[in-house]
Amino acid sequence: MKNNQWKRIVLKVGSALIAPERKGCSSRYLLHIAKFILQCRDQGIEVILVSSGSVAAGSHFFGNLENPSLAIKKAMAAAGQNEMMAAWDRFFDFPSAQILLTHGDLRDKERYDSVRETMFALLDNGILPIVNENDVVTTDELKVGDNDNLSAMVAAAADADSLIICSDIDGLYNKNPHTNTDAKLIKQVHNIDQSIYDMAGGAHSSVGTGGMKTKIEAAEKATSHGLSTYIINGFKESSFEQLILGNNPGTIFSPYDSPMKEDLHWMTHTAKAQGELVIEDGFDYPFDENSEQLTSNEISEVHGEFAVGDTILVRSEDGKHLAKAEANYSSCLLNFIATHDEEGDEFQHHTGPIISDKNIAYLDNSHEEAHK
């Protein structure tokens, strides 16, 4: 999708661009990124900025420790977030708004919808949303972990046209360009499969946390929602000059021809399974209103704790992940039924399907068409 067809984009900028020397924020690379944002807005293109950098921006307040504790990292994020927002604000003559998120905000459907509504209200009033993970309050349970994947979740929530992810190299290469002089840039990817992931290396920046693998994960999330996704070199001003001209300066990932529906995309790529059901081998799925429905008789194991309405993982006894779905019953009740055959038969006579047949995201490739 060329820039003159964009209506709304999400731009992800990493820590190494914000605070390249961990001495606070620097305008060294931000100036040409800000210019690109201004040019987009001048063309009527709405922009949402996903900006890492709060920890890197705040680290100098704590002596740039080599191995800071988790508590110190959270304090760095708290101190650096203000500095990062101020750094962006000084480039613009229009207002911006800070949106701090955790995975807990996105995987809860009510809060996810609230985030959507807030972003739309900001955009409708000409305000630039600047999104970051809320490092101060995140835990292992609540964190996304990298802003590449966060940017894809935000792009899907915002109904954007394109996601642009800044990297420290020109795009996806067939091999690591830092160690292979014959590495070739892949200009376009039509289908993200295992061979694409095999090309992705680790993170090379001492500041950022997202390597190429997380960028491919983000591209897979975004393209399945119908977004064109770019990986570009954010350190080069020419990358943004080419983008604004409608050219591809890096790697573009083509969107699905038939994108996932909003609710199924959220369940597949954003919602986190609160538990899992193991079903007996041989059960003929998919589990929907047009085929055999999953009942208590097919459950062999129940793992985790979940309530009615929570997202759960359904897998086979051989370990294959089959689907994510909305639970119609709690783990407590299903655990009881799974271990009491006689009560299970009685339960089956008086209840409906174990999972909702309306919100099912299939994870097995053989049912790929079911959620496109």
Side-chain angles (χ1 to χ4, degrees):
M1 180 177 290
K2 293 196 174 184
N3 72 299
N4 56 6
Q5 295 175 293
W6 291 341
K7 293 180 180 178
R8 181 178 300 149
I9 65 170
V10 171
L11 174 64
K12 186 267 173 177
V13 177
S15 300
L17 292 164
I18 302 288
E21 298 176 353
R22 301 186 73 94
K23 295 179 181 178
C25 295
S26 168
S27 61
R28 180 178 178 186
Y29 302 113
L30 300 190
L31 188 59
H32 58 252
I33 298 174
K35 179 181 177 182
F36 172 72
I37 294 172
L38 287 164
Q39 289 174 320
C40 286
R41 286 172 61 99
D42 285 345
Q43 293 183 13
I45 302 167
E46 295 177 334
V47 179
I48 296 172
L49 178 62
V50 176
S51 177
S52 306
S54 60
V55 174
S59 63
H60 69 106
F61 294 121
F62 299 83
N64 289 311
L65 300 174
E66 286 293 327
N67 295 297
S69 66
L70 181 59
I72 292 296
K73 282 186 177 180
K74 290 177 179 290
M76 289 175 177
Q81 188 66 31
N82 278 346
E83 189 162 325
M84 188 188 75
M85 287 296 296
W88 284 116
D89 275 341
R90 72 172 180 261
F91 291 114
F92 305 128
D93 58 358
F94 49 82
S96 62
Q98 175 179 262
I99 301 178
L100 295 175
L101 300 174
T102 69
H103 199 193
D105 299 315
L106 296 170
R107 74 187 187 206
D108 180 279
K109 195 61 169 65
E110 186 174 353
R111 287 153 69 183
Y112 178 85
D113 289 339
S114 177
V115 171
R116 277 170 55 88
E117 292 167 2
T118 299
M119 287 193 293
F120 295 152
L122 291 170
L123 293 171
D124 287 344
N125 287 277
I127 300 170
L128 173 69
I130 302 180
V131 183
N132 193 11
E133 184 155 24
N134 193 347
D135 293 316
V136 175
V137 301
T138 51
T139 62
D140 287 341
E141 175 67 16
L142 293 176
K143 70 182 179 181
V144 177
D146 67 89
N147 272 4
D148 294 324
N149 277 288
L150 178 64
S151 69
M153 296 177 190
V154 168
D159 295 334
D161 303 306
S162 288
L163 170 63
I164 301 166
I165 301 175
C166 295
S167 180
D168 60 350
I169 55 177
D170 289 346
L172 176 66
Y173 284 79
N174 64 339
K175 59 182 73 173
N176 190 339
H178 292 281
T179 56
N180 298 276
T181 56
D182 61 341
K184 294 182 180 179
L185 178 66
I186 299 172
K187 294 295 291 182
Q188 187 161 15
V189 175
H190 294 287
N191 180 47
I192 299 175
D193 55 21
Q194 188 56 48
S195 68
I196 299 300
Y197 276 103
D198 290 342
M199 297 176 191
H204 295 282
S205 168
S206 62
V207 179
T209 57
M212 189 56 67
K213 180 181 178 181
T214 60
K215 292 172 175 57
I216 302 301
E217 291 171 350
E220 185 169 15
K221 287 179 173 66
T223 56
S224 67
H225 198 267
L227 284 79
S228 299
T229 303
Y230 296 83
I231 298 177
I232 66 167
N233 193 326
F235 293 85
K236 293 182 177 179
E237 185 174 3
S238 59
S239 298
F240 299 95
E241 292 172 344
Q242 289 301 307
L243 276 177
I244 207 68
L245 292 173
N247 300 323
N248 170 25
T251 301
I252 184 172
F253 296 79
S254 302
Y256 277 29
D257 290 333
S258 300
M260 285 181 174
K261 295 178 181 178
E262 175 66 38
D263 286 349
L264 291 184
H265 186 276
W266 171 80
M267 183 170 287
T268 303
H269 292 298
T270 303
K272 185 176 181 180
Q274 301 301 299
E276 74 177 26
L277 297 181
V278 181
I279 64 171
E280 296 177 349
D281 289 338
F283 179 73
D284 184 22
Y285 78 107
F287 325 103
D288 57 39
E289 58 187 352
N290 298 317
S291 63
E292 188 175 358
Q293 295 179 329
L294 182 64
T295 68
S296 60
N297 291 337
E298 287 78 41
I299 298 174
S300 61
E301 297 175 46
V302 180
H303 299 292
E305 296 184 5
F306 52 87
V308 176
D310 281 349
T311 298
I312 57 174
L313 176 70
V314 182
R315 69 170 176 86
S316 60
E317 290 180 315
D318 63 4
K320 181 183 290 185
H321 290 184
L322 303 177
K324 288 168 78 176
E326 181 182 317
N328 282 339
Y329 299 95
S330 70
S331 56
C332 181
L333 179 57
L334 293 179
N335 257 314
F336 177 81
I337 298 302
T339 54
H340 294 74
D341 292 338
E342 185 175 335
E343 288 87 346
D345 290 338
E346 182 67 22
F347 179 81
Q348 172 57 30
H349 286 304
H350 297 285
T351 61
I354 297 301
I355 58 177
S356 169
D357 58 13
K358 304 299 183 184
N359 293 317
I360 303 174
Y362 292 103
L363 305 177
D364 179 17
N365 290 336
S366 65
H367 296 286
E368 184 176 349
E369 292 303 316
H371 64 249
K372 279 190 177 182

